[in-house]
C-alpha cells in the first residue's frame, strides 16, 4: 500500500515537473512566433498584403500605388538595367533663392539611372556615359571595372506580383529624405543659407503620376536653415521639386559630331575603344530625331515631312490675346527647317480638351508644351531633355512667365523711344507687344531645338545699316534670332521705316541645315564629317554665318545685348537716344499716370541700359577677337584689338562714364523717386566699369599682348591713360566735385585690391575655350605697374593739394595721399 502510494506520489511529481517544463518552453514558442511575424513584416510578403484594396493605382511606364500616405512602385523585371534619364527641376521656389539666378523650372541635376536587383533589394544605380567603349572590345571590361556605378538608393523588395513579372518597393522614404543627387539645394546654396538638415516631418510627396514613358513625382521639401533667402524668422527653406524618370529609346539616334564653328548645345563622351593613342573625346550636338517619310524624295532635294514632327502644345491657361503670337513664334522655325529639307517639321497645337483626350497631361514626356506661368518673374526659358548617349532631344517645355512682357515694354521705350514714336507710352500697341512675344518664344524654341546664344550675329551688320529702313526691314537687327539683340537702339530720330524688333536671320537657316539635314548614305557620325566640314568652309569668313559663344567675355564681336560691328560708335548712338528718352521720361510716365511708380522703375532700368552700352566699349580694351577656324582655313584664331581702337575706347570711357554724366542726374526725376543716395547710385554705376577695367583678367591680356611682337596697347598705356583722366583735376587745377571724389576713392580701393589679392584661381568656360585668364600675379608685371602708378599719383597729389582749391578738395587729396601710403607700406 505504501509502495503504491509512493509510486503515485512519484508519478505526480514527474507529471508536475513535466508541466513546469512545458510552461518554461512556452515563452520560446511566443518568441518564435514574434520572429516569424517580424520576418514577414520586413521581408517579401504576399502581393495582396502590400498592395491592398485601399491602393489608388496609376498605370504607365510601371504601376504606381498610393496607400494612405505611402507610395509604391511596381517595377517590371523587363525594365531592369534599362537606361532611364532622371531629371530634377525646381517646380516652386521661395523668394530670393539663388539671388535671382534660379527660377521655377530650373534644372538642378540630370543623370542616367537604371534599376538592378541584388538579393531582396532593388538598387537605383547612377550610370555614366562619360567613359565608354564598344562592348565587343576587350577594353570595355576595363572601362566597366574602372567606372563602377554608384548606388543612389537601396530599396527593400516588399512584394512580387502574382505572375512574378514585377516587384514592389516603397519609395516614400526615398522622396522624403535628403538625397543630394535629386535635391534642389546644391552645396553652394546650402553653405550660403547655412542649411542644417532636411526636416522629414515637414517634407512629403505631393503627387506621383505614371505615363507610358515617364514617371513624374512632385515632392515638397523643407530644410532648417539659419539664414534663408526670405522669411528669415522662420529659419526655413521650403521648395517643391519635380522629379522626372524617363525611359530612353531602346535604339539611340545616330549622333552628329559637334564643330565649334556652328553653335549647338552638346553632350560629350570619352571613347576608350578609339584607335587614337588616348581616350578620344567625342562631342555630339543636341537635336531632335527628324527622319524623312520619303527618303528617296528627300535625297532628290524635295521638301519632305518628317516621320515624327516636333509638336508644341499651348498651355490651356494661356491668355486668349497672346495665343496666336505664341503659335507664330513656334512655327517661325518652319522656314529654317525647310532649309534642312523638311516641311511642317515643327507645329503648334492647342492642348486637347479633357473630352478630346482625358489622358493628356503637360507632364507626359510624349508632349512638349509652352507653359504659361502666372508669376511675377520676368523671364522665359527653353529647357530640353536629351539622351546623353546620342544627344537626341526627347522633350522640352518652353516656360513663359507672365510679367516678362513688362521687361520688353520697358526696354522698347528706353532703347527705341527716341526714334520710335509708338514706344513713347506705357500702353504699347498690342500688335507690337505681340510681335515681341512672338520673337521671344521663337528664341526660346531655338534653345529647345539645340541652339545656344550666338552673340556674334549682331556684329555681322555695319552700325550705319541700322539706320536704313530698307536694310532693317529685310535683315532685321542681327544675323540670328539667337543673339541677345532685342531692339535697334542705333536708329536716330528722323530715320524712316526702321525695324526695331529682332527676327529670324540667315544664320538660323544655315545652322538648322547643318544640324538637321539628313546626309544620305552616311551611316555613322564619322561618315558625315567631310560633308559637314565642307558646308562650314563654303561660308568661309562671311560674318553672317559666324558663331560667337556667349562665354567669350574678352571678344568685342560676341557681346550680350550689343548690336553693330563697332561698339564705340553703336554706344554713341545709343547714349544719344537715351539722353532724349531721359529728358522725356516724366512726360511719358508720371505726368500721365499721376504717380511716380513707373518713373522710378523705368529710371532704374535706364541706368542699366546706359551701363550696358558702356560695358560694350570696355570690352575693346584688352579685347581679343576669337575666330574659330581650322589650319586649312588659314590665319590666327585669336587677334588683339587694334591699339588705336583701344586708346579711342579709353577716351570714350572718360568722356561718357568717368566724367560725370550729368544728364542722368535730372532733379525732376531723382527728387521724386528717393529722398537721398544720388551720389552713391552714380558711384556704383561708374565703379562697375572702373573695376572691370582694373581686373586681373584684362590687365593680364594687355601684358600678354607684349608677347605677340605686334604693335600693341600695353598694360602701362592703359593704366597711365586711366590715371591721367580720372585725376585730371590734379593736373589742370580746380576743385573736385562729390561724384569725382567718390570715383577717385573707388580707384584707390581697386588699386589696393590689385596689390593684395591673389587673382583668379580657375578658368571658366568650355575646355579649350576658357574665357578667364589665370596667371601668377605675384611674379607678373601687375604689382610693379600698380605700385608705379600709385607712386606717380602720390607725387602729383602732394603738389596739387597746395594749389588754389577748396577745403573739401584739399582734404580729399590729403586722404588720398594717406591711403596710397598705407597701400604701399601696409606694415607702417
Amino acid at each position: 500500500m505504501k509502495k503504491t502510494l509512493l509510486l503515485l506520489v512519484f508519478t505526480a511529481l514527474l507529471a508536475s515537473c513535466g508541466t513546469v517544463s512545458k510552461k518554461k518552453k512556452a515563452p520560446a514558442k511566443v518568441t518564435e512566433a514574434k520572429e516569424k511575424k517580424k520576418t514577414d513584416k520586413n521581408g517579401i510578403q504576399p502581393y495582396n498584403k502590400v498592395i491592398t484594396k485601399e491602393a489608388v493605382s496609376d498605370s504607365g511606364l510601371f504601376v504606381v500605388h498610393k496607400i494612405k500616405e505611402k507610395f509604391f512602385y511596381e517595377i517590371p523585371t523587363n525594365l531592369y538595367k534599362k537606361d532611364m534619364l532622371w531629371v530634377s527641376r525646381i517646380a516652386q521656389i521661395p523668394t530670393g533663392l539663388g539671388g535671382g539666378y534660379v527660377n521655377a523650372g530650373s534644372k538642378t541635376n540630370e543623370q542616367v539611372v537604371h534599376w538592378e536587383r541584388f538579393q531582396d533589394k532593388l538598387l537605383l544605380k547612377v550610370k555614366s556615359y562619360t567613359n565608354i567603349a564598344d562592348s565587343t572590345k576587350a577594353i570595355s571590361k576595363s572601362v566597366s571595372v574602372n567606372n563602377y556605378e554608384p548606388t543612389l538608393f537601396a530599396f527593400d523588395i516588399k512584394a512580387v506580383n502574382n505572375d512574378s513579372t514585377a516587384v514592389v518597393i516603397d519609395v516614400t522614404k526615398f522622396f522624403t529624405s535628403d538625397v543630394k543627387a535629386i535635391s534642389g539645394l546644391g552645396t553652394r546654396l546650402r553653405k550660403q543659407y547655412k542649411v542644417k538638415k532636411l526636416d522629414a516631418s515637414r517634407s512629403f510627396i505631393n503627387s506621383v503620376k505614371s505615363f507610358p514613358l515617364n514617371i513624374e513625382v512632385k515632392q515638397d521639401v523643407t530644410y532648417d536653415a539659419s539664414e534663408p533667402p526670405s522669411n528669415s524668422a522662420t529659419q526655413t527653406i521650403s521648395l517643391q521639386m519635380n522629379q522626372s524618370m524617363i525611359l530612353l529609346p531602346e535604339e539611340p539616334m545616330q549622333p552628329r559630331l559637334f564643330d565649334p564653328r556652328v553653335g549647338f548645345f552638346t553632350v560629350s563622351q570619352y571613347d576608350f575603344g578609339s584607335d587614337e593613342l588616348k581616350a578620344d573625346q567625342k562631342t555630339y550636338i543636341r537635336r531632335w530625331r527628324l527622319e524623312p517619310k520619303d527618303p528617296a524624295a528627300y535625297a532628290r532635294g524635295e521638301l519632305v515631312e518628317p516621320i515624327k514632327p516636333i509638336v508644341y502644345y499651348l498651355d490651356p491657361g494661356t491668355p486668349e490675346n497672346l495665343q496666336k503670337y505664341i503659335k507664330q513664334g513656334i512655327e517661325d522655325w518652319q522656314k529654317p527647317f525647310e532649309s534642312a529639307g523638311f516641311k511642317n517639321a515643327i507645329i503648334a497645337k492647342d492642348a486637347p480638351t479633357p473630352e478630346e483626350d482625358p489622358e493628356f497631361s503637360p507632364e507626359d514626356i510624349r508632349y512638349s508644351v509652352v507653359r504659361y506661368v502666372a508669376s511675377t518673374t520676368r523671364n522665359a526659358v527653353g529647357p530640353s531633355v536629351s539622351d546623353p548617349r546620342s544627344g537626341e532631344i526627347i522633350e522640352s517645355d518652353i516656360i513663359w512667365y507672365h510679367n516678362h512682357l513688362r521687361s520688353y515694354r520697358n526696354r522698347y521705350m528706353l532703347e527705341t523711344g527716341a526714334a520710335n514714336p509708338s514706344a513713347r507710352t506705357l500702353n504699347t500697341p498690342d500688335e507690337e507687344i505681340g510681335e515681341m512675344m512672338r520673337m521671344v518664344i521663337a528664341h526660346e524654341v531655338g534653345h529647345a531645338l539645340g541652339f545656344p546664344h550666338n552673340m556674334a550675329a549682331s556684329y555681322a551688320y555695319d552700325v550705319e545699316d541700322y539706320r536704313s529702313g530698307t536694310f532693317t526691314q529685310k535683315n532685321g537687327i542681327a544675323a540670328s534670332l539667337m543673339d541677345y539683340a532685342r531692339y535697334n537702339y542705333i536708329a536716330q530720330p528722323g530715320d524712316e521705316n526702321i525695324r526695331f524688333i529682332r527676327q529670324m536671320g540667315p544664320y538660323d537657316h544655315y545652322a538648322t541645315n547643318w544640324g538637321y539635314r539628313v546626309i544620305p548614305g552616311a551611316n555613322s557620325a564619322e561618315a558625315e564629317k567631310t560633308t559637314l566640314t565642307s558646308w562650314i568652309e563654303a561660308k568661309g569668313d562671311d560674318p553672317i554665318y559666324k558663331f560667337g559663344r556667349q562665354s567669350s567675355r574678352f571678344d568685342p564681336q560676341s557681346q550680350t545685348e550689343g548690336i553693330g560691328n563697332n561698339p564705340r560708335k553703336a554706344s554713341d548712338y545709343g547714349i544719344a537716344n537715351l539722353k532724349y528718352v531721359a529728358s522725356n521720361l516724366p512726360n511719358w510716365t508720371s505726368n500721365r499716370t499721376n504717380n511716380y511708380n513707373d518713373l522710378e522703375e523705368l529710371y532704374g532700368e535706364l541706368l542699366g541700359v546706359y551701363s550696358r552700352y558702356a560695358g560694350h566699349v570696355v570690352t575693346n580694351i584688352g579685347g581679343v577677337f576669337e575666330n574659330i577656324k581650322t589650319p586649312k582655313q588659314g590665319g590666327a584664331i585669336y587677334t588683339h584689338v587694334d591699339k588705336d581702337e583701344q586708346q579711342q575706347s579709353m577716351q570714350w570711357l572718360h568722356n561718357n562714364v568717368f566724367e560725370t554724366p550729368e544728364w542722368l542726374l535730372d532733379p525732376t526725376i531723382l527728387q521724386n523717386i528717393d529722398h537721398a543716395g544720388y551720389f552713391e547710385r552714380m558711384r556704383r554705376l561708374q565703379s562697375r566699369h572702373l573695376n572691370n577695367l582694373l581686373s586681373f583678367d584684362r590687365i593680364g591680356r594687355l601684358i600678354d599682348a607684349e608677347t605677340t611682337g605686334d604693335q600693341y596697347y600695353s598694360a602701362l598705356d592703359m593704366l597711365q591713360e586711366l590715371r591721367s583722366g580720372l585725376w585730371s583735376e590734379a593736373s589742370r587745377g580746380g576743385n573736385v566735385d562729390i561724384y569725382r571724389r567718390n570715383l577717385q576713392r573707388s580707384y584707390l580701393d581697386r588699386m589696393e585690391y590689385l596689390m593684395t589679392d591673389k587673382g583668379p584661381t580657375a578658368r571658366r568656360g568650355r575646355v579649350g575655350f576658357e574665357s578667364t585668364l589665370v596667371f601668377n600675379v605675384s611674379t607678373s608685371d601687375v604689382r610693379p605697374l600698380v605700385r608705379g602708378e600709385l607712386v606717380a599719383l602720390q607725387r602729383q597729389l602732394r603738389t596739387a593739394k597746395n594749389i588754389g582749391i577748396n577745403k573739401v578738395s584739399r582734404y580729399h587729396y590729403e586722404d588720398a595721399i594717406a591711403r596710397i601710403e598705407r597701400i604701399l607700406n601696409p606694415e607702417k
Side-chain angles (χ1 to χ4, degrees):
M1 185 72 181
K2 288 181 180 180
K3 288 180 180 180
T4 303
L5 183 60
L6 286 171
L7 182 60
L8 288 172
V9 172
F10 183 70
T11 301
L13 284 172
L14 286 176
S16 175
C17 288
T19 303
V20 171
S21 177
K22 286 178 182 178
K23 284 182 180 179
K24 285 182 179 180
K25 288 181 179 179
K29 287 183 179 180
V30 171
T31 300
E32 288 172 10
K34 283 184 177 180
E35 284 298 320
K36 187 174 186 302
K37 187 175 181 181
K38 185 177 179 181
T39 302
D40 289 341
K41 183 178 179 181
N42 292 335
I44 298 177
Q45 300 183 68
Y47 182 83
N48 59 4
K49 294 291 185 182
V50 177
I51 306 303
T52 64
K53 293 180 179 179
E54 294 179 296
V56 178
S57 302
D58 184 20
S59 297
L61 179 61
F62 45 75
V63 184
V64 299
H65 307 278
K66 181 183 180 184
I67 304 175
K68 295 182 179 178
E69 300 305 316
K70 289 191 173 185
F71 289 85
F72 297 85
Y73 283 2
E74 186 173 328
I75 302 178
T77 56
N78 63 7
L79 289 181
Y80 289 176
K81 294 196 174 184
K82 297 290 186 183
D83 288 342
M84 299 183 185
L85 191 66
W86 192 295
V87 182
S88 301
R89 289 196 185 97
I90 298 175
Q92 296 191 51
I93 190 171
T95 302
L97 186 74
Y101 294 97
V102 180
N103 296 303
S106 293
K107 189 189 305 180
T108 61
N109 200 9
E110 186 173 298
Q111 55 200 323
V112 177
V113 300
H114 64 223
W115 298 94
E116 183 177 310
R117 180 164 181 169
F118 175 74
Q119 297 177 356
D120 288 346
K121 291 184 179 294
L122 200 61
L123 309 181
L124 182 60
K125 306 279 283 185
V126 177
K127 186 173 183 178
S128 173
Y129 277 93
T130 301
N131 299 319
I132 63 166
D134 189 326
S135 60
T136 62
K137 295 185 177 182
I139 197 171
S140 65
K141 298 180 177 63
S142 178
V143 170
S144 177
V145 299
N146 285 288
N147 293 273
Y148 187 64
E149 299 164 355
T151 300
L152 190 60
F153 208 84
F155 300 85
D156 292 324
I157 295 176
K158 297 297 185 182
V160 177
N161 70 350
N162 295 330
D163 60 1
S164 299
T165 59
V167 299
V168 176
I169 59 173
D170 184 345
V171 297
T172 312
K173 183 179 179 182
F174 175 68
F175 285 114
T176 54
S177 300
D178 192 8
V179 181
K180 292 186 173 57
I182 65 169
S183 170
L185 295 180
T187 303
R188 181 183 63 81
L189 292 180
R190 287 171 186 257
K191 185 176 180 180
Q192 179 180 349
Y193 301 126
K194 295 186 178 178
V195 173
K196 300 172 185 176
K197 64 180 179 67
L198 181 139
D199 186 350
S201 68
R202 291 183 290 165
S203 300
F204 53 89
I205 300 171
N206 189 291
S207 65
V208 181
K209 297 179 181 178
S210 185
F211 299 100
L213 297 175
N214 60 300
I215 306 293
E216 299 294 321
V217 178
K218 277 193 169 62
Q219 53 171 170
D220 286 65
V221 288
T222 294
Y223 298 87
D224 291 329
S226 299
E227 297 181 8
S230 56
N231 299 306
S232 57
T234 65
Q235 300 274 286
T236 290
I237 297 176
S238 292
L239 62 156
Q240 187 178 86
M241 294 296 297
N242 190 93
Q243 308 291 350
S244 302
M245 189 173 64
I246 304 155
L247 182 66
L248 290 174
E250 188 75 23
E251 184 65 33
M253 177 186 74
Q254 179 175 304
R256 178 157 290 182
L257 287 166
F258 170 68
D259 190 304
R261 294 170 291 179
V262 186
F264 271 89
F265 294 123
T266 61
V267 297
S268 293
Q269 303 170 350
Y270 285 95
D271 185 0
F272 284 83
S274 168
D275 294 331
E276 301 288 336
L277 298 178
K278 63 180 179 65
D280 187 18
Q281 184 178 17
K282 292 183 177 178
T283 302
Y284 303 121
I285 67 171
R286 291 173 56 182
R287 58 179 183 153
W288 293 78
R289 189 188 298 222
L290 287 184
E291 300 166 327
K293 283 183 179 178
D294 186 341
Y298 186 90
R300 292 193 300 269
E302 298 175 23
L303 286 180
V304 175
E305 290 187 342
I307 294 171
K308 183 181 179 183
I310 303 164
V311 179
Y312 279 96
Y313 293 89
L314 264 63
D315 188 326
T318 305
E320 291 82 358
N321 64 315
L322 298 176
Q323 291 177 9
K324 72 173 182 177
Y325 301 114
I326 294 176
K327 290 179 180 178
Q328 288 171 345
I330 295 167
E331 295 187 347
D332 276 340
W333 283 97
Q334 287 191 354
K335 289 296 182 182
F337 274 113
E338 288 179 9
S339 295
F342 291 102
K343 67 178 179 181
N344 300 324
I346 184 166
I347 300 168
K349 289 185 177 182
D350 292 318
T353 64
E355 293 74 25
E356 292 169 333
D357 185 355
E359 298 298 317
F360 178 86
S361 169
E363 295 174 340
D364 190 332
I365 204 70
R366 294 175 299 168
Y367 307 116
S368 294
V369 179
V370 179
R371 301 194 184 211
Y372 196 95
V373 180
S375 166
T376 57
T377 299
R378 294 189 186 183
N379 200 11
V381 294
S384 62
V385 173
S386 61
D387 186 340
R389 304 169 302 176
S390 65
E392 178 185 355
I393 296 173
I394 306 296
E395 178 267 357
S396 83
D397 286 337
I398 309 301
I399 303 173
W400 177 277
Y401 298 97
H402 180 70
N403 275 22
H404 197 35
L405 280 177
R406 190 175 182 90
S407 299
Y408 278 84
R409 180 207 69 178
N410 289 359
R411 288 188 58 175
Y412 193 51
M413 175 188 288
L414 296 172
E415 296 184 29
T416 78
N420 180 12
S422 67
R424 301 168 188 168
T425 175
L426 295 172
N427 300 309
T428 310
D430 290 344
E431 281 299 315
E432 292 173 45
I433 281 288
E435 178 70 2
M436 296 174 208
M437 185 177 201
R438 172 182 178 177
M439 292 301 112
V440 180
I441 290 293
H443 178 94
E444 300 305 335
V445 169
H447 286 320
L449 296 174
F451 302 118
H453 292 131
N454 178 5
M455 294 308 183
S458 55
Y459 202 86
Y461 298 159
D462 186 83
V463 168
E464 293 301 324
D465 287 336
Y466 288 87
R467 301 190 61 187
S468 165
T470 303
F471 182 89
T472 57
Q473 291 296 341
K474 177 182 178 182
N475 300 288
I477 61 175
S480 172
L481 187 69
M482 302 313 296
D483 198 326
Y484 264 0
R486 303 175 202 268
Y487 296 115
N488 180 353
Y489 59 77
I490 289 173
Q492 298 294 292
D495 294 342
E496 297 180 352
N497 193 33
I498 300 296
R499 180 171 178 88
F500 291 99
I501 301 171
R502 59 185 166 175
Q503 65 184 27
M504 200 75 70
Y507 173 86
D508 302 312
H509 289 257
Y510 162 71
T512 304
N513 177 71
W514 190 91
Y516 279 93
R517 180 171 286 278
V518 175
I519 302 174
N523 297 320
S524 69
E526 288 73 18
E528 296 180 333
K529 191 170 182 179
T530 300
T531 300
L532 294 172
T533 300
S534 70
W535 291 347
I536 296 173
E537 292 177 350
K539 301 302 180 183
D541 296 322
D542 191 335
I544 288 174
Y545 303 106
K546 174 179 167 56
F547 172 70
R549 58 194 178 90
Q550 187 173 359
S551 62
S552 299
R553 285 185 277 183
F554 54 81
D555 185 356
Q557 299 171 111
S558 300
Q559 299 203 68
T560 180
E561 313 287 357
I563 57 175
N565 62 354
N566 185 322
R568 185 167 46 83
K569 193 174 181 181
S571 293
D572 272 336
Y573 280 130
I575 287 179
N577 285 338
L578 275 186
K579 288 179 179 178
Y580 179 94
V581 171
S583 65
N584 285 281
L585 205 53
N587 293 330
W588 299 346
T589 57
S590 54
N591 291 357
R592 298 186 184 184
T593 63
N594 200 32
N595 68 64
Y596 293 108
N597 296 337
D598 290 296
L599 177 63
E600 181 177 4
E601 179 181 321
L602 281 156
Y603 177 73
E605 292 190 27
L606 184 146
L607 295 181
V609 173
Y610 161 79
S611 184
R612 281 196 293 272
Y613 296 164
H616 296 156
V617 181
V618 171
T619 306
N620 278 340
I621 300 172
V624 179
F625 294 121
E626 179 182 71
N627 295 297
I628 301 170
K629 56 182 67 177
T630 61
K632 182 180 176 181
Q633 290 176 283
I637 292 177
Y638 297 103
T639 55
H640 292 272
V641 173
D642 178 74
K643 178 179 180 179
D644 183 60
E645 180 59 41
Q646 294 193 56
Q647 287 182 308
Q648 290 186 52
S649 296
M650 177 60 78
Q651 188 57 52
W652 189 96
L653 290 169
H654 282 305
N655 295 341
N656 293 279
V657 179
F658 301 141
E659 290 293 335
T660 308
E662 295 184 1
W663 61 275
L664 287 171
L665 303 171
D666 185 347
T668 62
I669 297 177
L670 293 178
Q671 293 178 7
N672 286 309
I673 64 175
D674 207 340
H675 74 290
Y678 313 138
F679 68 86
E680 176 58 17
R681 179 181 278 133
M682 182 56 65
R683 186 203 66 78
R684 286 198 304 265
L685 193 62
Q686 293 175 312
S687 294
R688 181 182 303 126
H689 300 295
L690 175 65
N691 292 345
N692 197 358
L693 271 178
L694 293 175
S695 68
F696 287 112
D697 187 50
R698 192 175 310 280
I699 295 172
R701 291 198 302 273
L702 289 167
I703 293 171
D704 206 50
E706 186 176 343
T707 68
T708 65
D710 299 328
Q711 190 75 8
Y712 62 91
Y713 186 60
S714 69
L716 179 59
D717 292 334
M718 187 274 281
L719 291 170
Q720 285 181 333
E721 291 175 13
L722 180 62
R723 171 173 58 85
S724 176
L726 287 182
W727 297 87
S728 59
E729 295 91 343
S731 300
R732 68 174 185 263
N735 298 320
V736 189
D737 69 25
I738 184 173
Y739 299 107
R740 293 281 288 181
R741 294 196 300 268
N742 287 339
L743 177 61
Q744 289 168 2
R745 284 190 281 266
S746 294
Y747 168 84
L748 295 177
D749 285 347
R750 189 63 177 182
M751 295 294 270
E752 182 176 17
Y753 166 80
L754 293 174
M755 286 294 290
T756 57
D757 195 85
K758 294 180 180 179
T761 57
R763 301 187 75 176
R764 294 189 296 271
R766 187 170 57 81
V767 176
F769 295 94
E770 300 91 344
S771 62
T772 303
L773 176 62
V774 176
F775 59 98
N776 189 318
V777 171
S778 65
T779 62
S780 74
D781 284 341
V782 172
R783 302 247 161 88
L785 290 170
V786 171
R787 183 180 296 276
E789 285 299 296
L790 289 173
V791 169
L793 177 60
Q794 189 179 52
R795 187 183 308 118
Q796 184 181 17
L797 295 180
R798 281 174 176 154
T799 301
K801 74 184 181 68
N802 297 315
I803 302 176
I805 55 175
N806 63 25
K807 188 175 286 187
V808 173
S809 298
R810 185 177 301 111
Y811 285 170
H812 167 60
Y813 283 164
E814 289 173 349
D815 176 69
I817 292 167
R819 287 188 184 209
I820 294 171
E821 186 63 30
R822 188 183 68 247
I823 296 169
L824 296 176
N825 300 289
E827 296 179 1
K828 280 191 176 182

